[in-house]
Amino acid sequence: MESGKSMRKLGIAVLVIVVLLVGAALIVPHLIDINQYHGKIQTQLEKHLGRKVDLGDMSLSLFPPSFEVANATIAEDQRFATNRPFATADKLAVSVKFWPLLHKDVEVKSLELDRPHIELVRDAQGTWNFATLGQEPKPTPAQTTPVPAPRKNSTTAQKPSPAQAPTPTTTTGPEGKQPAGQLTLANLFISDGQVAITDLQKHQSRAVYDHIDLNVNDFAPDQQFSMKLTAHLPGAGKQTVWLEGKGGPIKQADLINTPFQGTLRLDQVSTDAAQKFLNSQSLNGIDATLTGDAKVTNAAGKLASSGTIKMENARIHNVDVGYPIALDYDVADDLTSDVIQIHKGDLKLGATPITVAGSINSKPTPAQIDLKLTAANASIEEAARLAAAFGVAFGKDMDVKGTVNADIQARGAMDKPAMNGQLSARNLNISGKELPQPVRVNEIALTLTPDSIRSNDFAATTGSTSVNVNFTLANYSAPNSSINAALRAPNARIGEIISIAKAAGVSAVEGMSGDGALTLDVRAQGPTKNMSALTFAGTGKISNATLKMPSLTKPVQIRNSDITFSQNSVALQNVAAGLGQTNATGTLTLKNFEAPQVQFTLNADKVNVTELQQMFNATPATPAKRAAAEHDFWQIVPSAAAQQPSAKAEPSLLTKMTGGGTITVGSIQYDDLLLNNTHANVTLDHGLIKMNPVTSEIYGGSENGTITIDMRPAQPVYAVNLKTDKVDANKLVSSVSDLKQTLYGMLASNVNASFSSSSSSNIARSLNGTLAINLTNGKLMNLDLLHEVASVGKFLGNNFAAAKNFTDLVQLTGNFDVKNGVAQTNNLKAQIDGGTMAAAGLINLADQSLNLHVTAVLNKALSSQVGGTQVGGFMNTALANNQGELVVPVIITGSFQHPQVAPDVQQIAQMKLHNLLPTSGNPGQLTTGILGAILNKNQGGGSSGQPGGQPNGGIGGILGALSGRQQQNQQQQPPAGVGNNQGQQPQGTPTPAPNLGDVLNQVLNKKRNQPSPTPTPQK
C-alpha cells in the first residue's frame, strides 16, 4: 500500500516536472528576447563559418535548444571576386548543443536552410569558394596580417609585452596550406534550394540549378558523411532526380578528389527539364522522358558510372522516333584531364543493338575522340528513323527496312574525325506516303579511310526507273573537302526520279511532283562547301514532262528540252515549254543551282501578267530544318539539296535569280491592257525585272522605253518610262483606269511614273510621276464645253448652236504632275471648233473628280456671230481682248461623267484690273500668272487681286523678266470691252500712266500708242 502511494507521488512529481518543462518551453521563449544575443550569435557563427554573417530577426526555442533567423546572409570569401554573397536564405534554423549553452557558449549542432541561394565558384587555380568554410579568414595575396590594436580600458591603454605581441604572418604557398576547417554538423538540411556554379578554371559560364533538397548527416572535415540530394524538376510527371550515398572526407583544397560512392536515379525526367536544370544545349531538339539507375563512384579524381538509362516517347526535331532507346553503359571520367573512357556502350534502338567503345577527350575544343562503332546484321529500320530525325539520311516520313553492318574506327576532332572501316546496308526497301512505289537498293557499301569515303556502284530502283550512282568524298575531314560523283538514269520517269530523291532525304525536291521522260548521264566534281563551284559534264533529255514545284502555283509543261552539262552550268536547247497560258520556245542556260544565274532567248505566244503574278508570288510551305545543316560532316553522303531550308518562309523562284536575255511575246495581257508584238532586252536581279528597251504595238499605235518590275513586295511595283504614238486614247485610258468611253482621239504621250496595282484598271489610282499628252482629232464626252461657255457668257440666244453630248477636240496638250492618282496641270490647252481654251488645276484619276480653272477664248468669227464685243454691255462674265475676241473664264468641277461649269469671277476681276487678256492664238500664256495668283493668293506677300498688292510671280514676274525690273502697280484705266458699264472718259482728265497690259504690248510690239476705244453707250 505504501509502495503504491510512493509510486503515485513519484508519478505526480514527474508529471509536475514535465508540465513545468513544457510550460518553460512554451513560456520562456516569450519572456526572453533572443535578439539581445543577436550580436553574439552572429559573431559565433562568423567564427565557426569563417565568413561574414548577417542575420535578420531571431526567435528562440528551448527543446531542443535552437533559434530561427529570417533573411540570413553568408558573405563570400574575399579572395573570390564576385558581386554575390556565398549564401542567402529566407529562413535559417540553427540547432545548438545544450551543455555548452549553459556555459554561455554557442556550438552549432545542425543547420536548416529554407529556400537558400548558394553560389559555388571555382577559381582559375581550381580552388572552390566553399573550401574555406570553417577556416579563419586568410589575407589576400601579398598582404600581411595586421597587428591588432591593444585594448583600452576607461583610463589607460595596456601595451602588450614583447611575448604577447602577435607575429605578422603572410599567406602561405602550396607547401603551407591551412589545416582543414573545424565546422562540424550533425545535420544539414536544405529545402527547395538554388545552387549556381561558376567554373573559372574551365571557363564555363554561370549555371543555375533549382528546386534542390539536400540532407547531409555527420558532417565533419576529417570523416565520412552521408547525403541525400533530391531535385524536383518542373513539368508534368514525377520529374525527380535522386543522388544518395556516402562521401568524404572532403578534400577542401580540391573538391574533385573528395571520395563519393552512391546511386543516381532518374524518374520520368523530361529532356526539356533536364536541359534547363543542366544548363546544356546538347539536348536541343530532343523531347523525351528519361528513366534509369546508375552507380556513381568518385575516388582520387576518377569519376566512374555504370547503369542503364532509358529514353521513352522520343521526339527528335519534330519527328516521332516510335521506339524506346536504351543505353547500357560503363564509363569513367578523369576529372583532372577531362578524358572519358567508354568501357561499355551498348545502345539499343528498339531491338537494334549498336556498340560503342573508346575514349573522348573533352578538354580541348573541339573534343577529341577515339571511338569504335560496330553493328552486325542489325535491322536498319530503327537506325534509319533516328538518322532521318537528325537529318543525316532518308526522308523523315520514310519507312526503311533492311540490314546494316558497321565496323568503323573514328579518331580526331569530334566534328571532323578521320575514319577507317566499312559501312554497308543491304536489301533496303524505302516506302512512305509520298512514294507511289517503294524505292529499293540491293546494296550500298562505303569504304572509309582517313583520306576518303568511297562508295560502290549502287542502284536505286522504283517503278521502271533505275538510277545508278557512285561517289568519292575526298579530304572529308578538312575544310577543302571535295566530291566526285556520277549519276546515270537511262529512260527514267521524272516522277520516279523525284521519289528516289525524297527517299534519300534531298530537301530540294520537297513538295515537288511530276511526270514525263528523262534521260541523264552526268558527272559532278568540286568542293562540297561551295556547291556553286561544282563542275559538271554530261547530257540529258526531257520529253513530254510536267513538273509541279512549291514555288509555282501551276505546273511547268516541258514538251522537249535537250540538256548539256558543262563546267558549272546546264544548258537547255530546243526548249518547248509552257507555263499557264504561256507557251515558249528558245534556249536557257543556268549556272549556280543555289543562287541561279540564267541567260535566255525566248519566244512566247502570249503572257498573262496577272496569272504570272499569282504563280510566282506563291509562298511554299517551309520544310522543317534538318539537323544535319548544323553538323553537315555526319551527313556522310552529301545531300543534293539545292536549297537550304530555313526558319523563314522560302522566297519565290524569281527572287533567287540573276541574269537576263531577250524575249519576244506575241501578246501581253494585263487585265484590260493589251500589248502586241513586244520585244525586250530583260535583266533579272533577285526579283527586280528590267526591260530596256521594250517596244510594243498598243491600240493601233506604238510605245517604246523602259519598264522595271519589282517582284519582291507582296504587290509588285512597276516603274515605266514610255513614249506612245498614235494610240487610240479611249482604249488606252479605259484599260488603265475606271474612265471608260470618255476621251477619244489619237494620243501621243510621254510617261515617267511608277505604280503598284492588283489590276490594270487600278493603275491610275496608284500612279506617281509625270505625264505629257498630245491628243489630236478627239472628243471629250459628257460635256459641250463651247455651249457651256456660251451659257456662262449669256449669249445663247443669238442663234448659238444647240448643245451636244461631247466637245470636239482639234488638239489637246498638257503636262501633269501626278501624286497618288491626283494629276495637277498648269498648262493644259485645247483647240476646239470656235476657239481655244487653257486650263490649270486638278484631275483626280481615282474618282474622276475635276477642279479646273479654264479660260475660253472665242475666235473673232464666233465672237462676231454672237454679237461681238458689244454684246456684253449688261454682263460681267465675259471680256473682250484687243483682237475682238471674247474671253470667258470658267471653273469646271464635278466629275467626267457629270461636269459642272460656272463663271470664274476671281480671274475675271484680275483680267479687268490688269487689262490683260489672252488671245485665241495663245490662250494660256498671259493668264497663267494671274491664275497662279488666284490659286495661291494666300501665299507670299500682298494679294495681286487688290490695289496696292504686289503679285507674286505671274504677269509681274514675266514683266520683270522682260524689262529687267519689277513693275509697281499703277491705278488702271478701266478696260474696254464687254462688262464695262462706264461711259467715255471725262474731258480734261490727264492721260493715265501706262498699265501692265500697255507695257507688255509695248515690249511685244503688238500694240500702238493710242487712247483706249470708247465703248458705245448702252441704249
Side-chain angles (χ1 to χ4, degrees):
M1 196 70 173
E2 292 293 332
S3 175
K5 290 182 179 181
S6 300
M7 291 299 295
R8 281 196 300 273
K9 292 180 180 180
L10 179 60
I12 292 171
V14 171
L15 180 60
V16 170
I17 294 173
V18 170
V19 170
L20 291 176
L21 290 175
V22 172
L26 295 174
I27 297 173
V28 171
H30 295 282
L31 299 177
I32 300 176
D33 183 8
I34 188 64
N35 285 287
Q36 65 181 323
Y37 301 101
H38 182 282
K40 184 173 183 179
I41 294 173
Q42 184 170 284
T43 301
Q44 289 290 331
L45 285 175
E46 289 177 348
K47 176 182 177 182
H48 286 290
L49 295 175
R51 301 286 177 88
K52 178 69 176 176
V53 175
D54 186 14
L55 303 178
D57 291 337
M58 303 171 63
S59 60
L60 176 67
S61 175
L62 288 183
F63 297 105
S66 63
F67 58 89
E68 290 185 358
V69 182
N71 301 320
T73 301
I74 302 174
E76 182 60 275
D77 189 326
Q78 61 182 349
R79 289 170 295 179
F80 292 84
T82 65
N83 296 323
R84 302 180 178 91
F86 171 74
T88 62
D90 291 352
K91 183 178 71 173
L92 171 64
V94 181
S95 176
V96 297
K97 295 180 181 179
F98 180 76
W99 294 112
L101 194 62
L102 298 178
H103 298 283
K104 299 183 179 181
D105 192 11
V106 178
E107 291 189 18
V108 178
K109 182 180 179 181
S110 64
L111 292 175
E112 182 176 351
L113 293 85
D114 186 25
R115 296 188 58 82
H117 296 258
I118 301 173
E119 292 286 335
L120 301 182
V121 181
R122 180 160 70 168
D123 64 19
Q125 289 72 40
T127 302
W128 288 92
N129 61 342
F130 61 81
T132 58
L133 281 174
Q135 297 181 4
E136 292 291 334
K138 294 181 181 180
T140 56
Q143 289 182 334
T144 60
T145 303
V147 178
R151 296 182 179 179
K152 296 182 179 181
N153 55 24
S154 59
T155 56
T156 60
Q158 295 180 353
K159 294 184 179 181
S161 64
Q164 295 173 329
T167 303
T169 60
T170 59
T171 302
T172 59
E175 297 82 2
K177 292 183 179 180
Q178 292 288 340
Q182 302 302 312
L183 176 65
T184 61
L185 292 172
N187 300 101
L188 171 65
F189 300 97
I190 292 178
S191 176
D192 194 17
Q194 183 186 87
V195 177
I197 299 179
T198 305
D199 194 337
L200 301 178
Q201 187 181 50
K202 291 188 175 182
H203 307 287
Q204 293 177 352
S205 59
R206 184 173 178 263
V208 179
Y209 304 88
D210 211 345
H211 304 294
I212 296 174
D213 296 334
L214 177 65
N215 185 357
V216 178
N217 297 319
D218 302 324
F219 178 83
D222 298 320
Q223 70 181 40
Q224 192 178 58
F225 59 90
S226 62
M227 65 164 288
K228 183 177 181 180
L229 181 146
T230 305
H232 304 277
L233 306 186
K238 297 182 180 179
Q239 300 276 15
T240 308
V241 179
W242 285 279
L243 178 63
E244 186 173 3
K246 291 184 177 293
I250 288 182
K251 306 291 184 181
Q252 292 186 343
D254 193 354
L255 177 68
I256 63 176
N257 289 321
T258 298
F260 179 82
Q261 185 172 1
T263 302
L264 173 68
R265 184 164 32 144
L266 306 177
D267 191 358
Q268 297 181 2
V269 175
S270 69
T271 51
D272 180 63
Q275 177 179 346
K276 294 177 181 177
F277 182 77
L278 298 174
N279 192 31
S280 171
Q281 302 303 312
S282 61
L283 297 176
N284 271 349
I286 301 176
D287 185 13
T289 57
L290 305 174
T291 301
D293 293 280
K295 294 180 179 180
V296 180
T297 303
N298 185 51
K302 307 290 186 180
L303 177 63
S305 179
S306 61
T308 301
I309 304 296
K310 191 174 185 179
M311 179 185 292
E312 297 179 296
N313 303 319
R315 184 176 177 83
I316 299 174
H317 297 291
N318 297 318
V319 177
D320 288 321
V321 174
Y323 55 82
I325 300 173
L327 176 62
D328 188 3
Y329 72 95
D330 183 357
V331 300
D333 186 1
D334 188 326
L335 299 178
T336 303
S337 62
D338 289 332
V339 175
I340 302 172
Q341 295 290 337
I342 303 175
H343 303 298
K344 177 184 178 182
D346 292 339
L347 181 66
K348 285 189 177 181
L349 309 177
T352 301
I354 298 175
T355 300
V356 180
S359 64
I360 301 174
N361 185 352
S362 61
K363 194 167 190 175
T365 302
Q368 300 294 305
I369 64 173
D370 185 356
L371 298 173
K372 186 170 185 177
L373 182 146
T374 58
N377 293 319
S379 170
I380 199 174
E381 184 173 2
E382 290 82 4
R385 196 175 305 169
L386 188 63
F390 281 103
V392 175
F394 306 109
K396 64 180 182 179
D397 296 321
M398 299 302 156
D399 184 16
V400 184
K401 290 181 171 56
T403 59
V404 62
N405 288 275
D407 187 359
I408 301 173
Q409 186 80 37
R411 291 188 177 94
M414 177 174 281
D415 58 340
K416 295 177 181 178
M419 294 181 287
N420 274 293
Q422 300 286 330
L423 175 65
S424 64
R426 290 186 175 88
N427 303 319
L428 294 181
N429 188 290
I430 309 169
S431 60
K433 62 182 181 181
E434 294 188 15
L435 304 182
Q437 301 180 73
V439 175
R440 299 179 300 278
V441 179
N442 290 335
E443 181 179 12
I444 177 171
L446 302 180
T447 301
L448 296 84
T449 69
D451 297 325
S452 67
I453 300 174
R454 187 183 301 273
S455 80
N456 64 329
D457 195 351
F458 62 94
T461 303
T462 184
S464 62
T465 297
S466 182
V467 178
N468 298 281
V469 180
N470 66 70
F471 68 88
T472 299
L473 186 63
N475 298 321
Y476 59 86
S477 60
N480 60 339
S481 61
S482 63
I483 189 173
N484 189 331
L487 183 148
R488 297 180 303 282
N491 302 316
R493 303 299 300 177
I494 287 180
E496 294 169 347
I497 290 285
I498 294 174
S499 293
I500 293 173
K502 288 180 179 179
V506 177
S507 62
V509 299
E510 290 186 16
M512 291 179 59
S513 62
D515 195 14
L518 172 65
T519 295
L520 278 179
D521 186 356
V522 60
R523 179 172 291 277
Q525 58 182 355
T528 61
K529 303 298 183 183
N530 184 9
M531 300 297 288
S532 63
L534 288 176
T535 60
F536 298 87
T539 59
K541 186 177 181 63
I542 302 175
S543 302
N544 302 318
T546 300
L547 188 62
K548 296 180 180 179
M549 296 184 289
S551 57
L552 296 174
T553 59
K554 290 189 177 181
V556 178
Q557 307 285 341
I558 305 176
R559 291 178 289 278
N560 183 80
S561 179
D562 297 328
I563 307 172
T564 302
F565 296 92
S566 62
Q567 295 302 314
N568 63 340
S569 67
V570 55
L572 306 181
Q573 304 287 339
N574 302 318
V575 175
L579 181 61
Q581 301 177 28
T582 302
N583 294 294
T585 60
T587 62
L588 184 145
T589 301
L590 174 65
K591 298 180 180 180
N592 188 355
F593 297 102
E594 290 187 340
Q597 301 173 11
V598 297
Q599 293 294 327
F600 53 83
T601 301
L602 297 176
N603 300 294
D605 57 350
K606 60 182 177 180
V607 171
N608 188 306
V609 175
T610 303
E611 180 186 54
L612 289 181
Q613 287 178 357
Q614 294 172 349
M615 285 191 292
F616 282 102
N617 280 338
T619 303
T622 303
K625 185 175 181 179
R626 297 173 66 85
E630 299 176 358
H631 308 287
D632 55 358
F633 169 81
W634 293 103
Q635 190 168 347
I636 297 174
V637 181
S639 171
Q643 305 169 8
Q644 287 295 340
S646 65
K648 298 181 180 179
E650 186 74 11
S652 69
L653 184 62
L654 277 177
T655 59
K656 297 179 180 181
M657 285 187 177
T658 58
T662 61
I663 60 170
T664 300
V665 185
S667 66
I668 298 177
Q669 185 81 40
Y670 186 13
D671 292 332
D672 295 331
L673 180 63
L674 179 63
L675 306 177
N676 292 310
N677 297 323
T678 300
H679 301 269
N681 292 334
V682 180
T683 302
L684 304 178
D685 184 10
H686 299 98
L688 202 63
I689 305 173
K690 186 173 184 179
M691 294 182 282
N692 183 25
V694 58
T695 62
S696 293
E697 297 174 2
I698 176 171
Y699 300 125
S702 64
E703 73 171 5
N704 66 85
T706 301
I707 299 176
T708 301
I709 309 173
D710 189 350
M711 297 292 291
R712 294 169 296 184
Q715 180 64 50
V717 178
Y718 298 79
V720 299
N721 191 344
L722 295 172
K723 293 182 179 180
T724 63
D725 188 34
K726 298 180 181 178
V727 176
D728 186 315
N730 176 55
K731 291 182 178 179
L732 178 60
V733 173
S734 296
S735 67
V736 299
S737 72
D738 292 330
L739 192 63
K740 314 292 185 184
Q741 285 74 50
T742 301
L743 184 65
Y744 293 83
M746 303 301 293
L747 178 65
S749 66
N750 193 338
V751 181
N752 188 358
S754 64
F755 60 89
S756 177
S757 174
S758 58
S759 65
S760 65
S761 62
N762 289 326
I763 289 176
R765 294 176 178 271
S766 60
L767 197 66
N768 284 276
T770 60
L771 171 65
I773 63 169
N774 187 345
L775 179 77
T776 58
N777 300 322
K779 290 183 179 180
L780 176 64
M781 303 302 295
N782 305 317
L783 175 66
D784 187 344
L785 188 55
L786 191 60
H787 194 273
E788 294 292 336
V789 168
S791 176
V792 170
K794 301 187 183 304
F795 36 80
L796 284 177
N798 293 275
N799 299 319
F800 203 82
K804 301 176 293 184
N805 191 34
F806 60 88
T807 299
D808 286 312
L809 299 173
V810 178
Q811 186 176 27
L812 177 67
T813 63
N815 296 86
F816 296 88
D817 185 9
V818 187
K819 295 182 179 179
N820 298 322
V822 179
Q824 181 174 359
T825 180
N826 290 315
N827 64 351
L828 187 64
K829 299 177 183 179
Q831 181 179 350
I832 62 176
D833 292 337
T836 58
M837 299 184 183
L842 301 177
I843 300 174
N844 192 318
L845 303 178
D847 59 14
Q848 289 83 54
S849 61
L850 303 170
N851 188 1
L852 293 172
H853 292 260
V854 179
T855 300
V857 181
L858 305 184
N859 60 31
K860 190 171 183 179
L862 183 59
S863 297
S864 299
Q865 178 183 340
V866 298
T869 59
Q870 308 302 313
V871 303
F874 299 105
M875 298 174 289
N876 292 310
T877 56
L879 303 172
N881 63 21
N882 61 357
Q883 295 184 11
E885 299 170 326
L886 293 175
V887 179
V888 184
V890 297
I891 297 176
I892 301 179
T893 57
S895 66
F896 278 105
Q897 290 77 21
H898 303 286
Q900 299 175 7
V901 182
D904 190 345
V905 295
Q906 284 186 306
Q907 190 164 346
I908 291 172
Q910 291 291 318
M911 290 180 177
K912 284 184 177 181
L913 177 65
H914 296 290
N915 192 23
L916 183 65
L917 302 176
T919 66
S920 59
N922 196 347
Q925 179 179 0
L926 299 181
T927 60
T928 302
I930 295 176
L931 185 57
I934 295 173
L935 297 177
N936 301 285
K937 64 180 181 178
N938 294 325
Q939 300 178 5
S943 171
S944 62
Q946 299 293 335
Q950 181 67 29
N952 294 318
I955 190 63
I958 295 173
L959 293 177
L962 294 174
S963 65
R965 62 186 178 86
Q966 182 73 32
Q967 298 293 330
Q968 301 294 327
N969 286 336
Q970 305 288 337
Q971 180 175 352
Q972 305 297 316
Q973 178 180 345
V978 178
N980 183 3
N981 293 326
Q982 299 290 335
Q984 194 171 8
Q985 181 175 337
Q987 297 293 327
T989 303
T991 302
N995 59 31
L996 294 176
D998 293 333
V999 175
L1000 179 62
N1001 287 326
Q1002 290 175 10
V1003 174
L1004 299 177
N1005 293 319
K1006 291 185 177 180
K1007 184 173 183 179
R1008 295 188 300 270
N1009 293 324
Q1010 59 182 9
S1012 300
T1014 302
T1016 302
Q1018 299 292 330
K1019 296 180 181 182

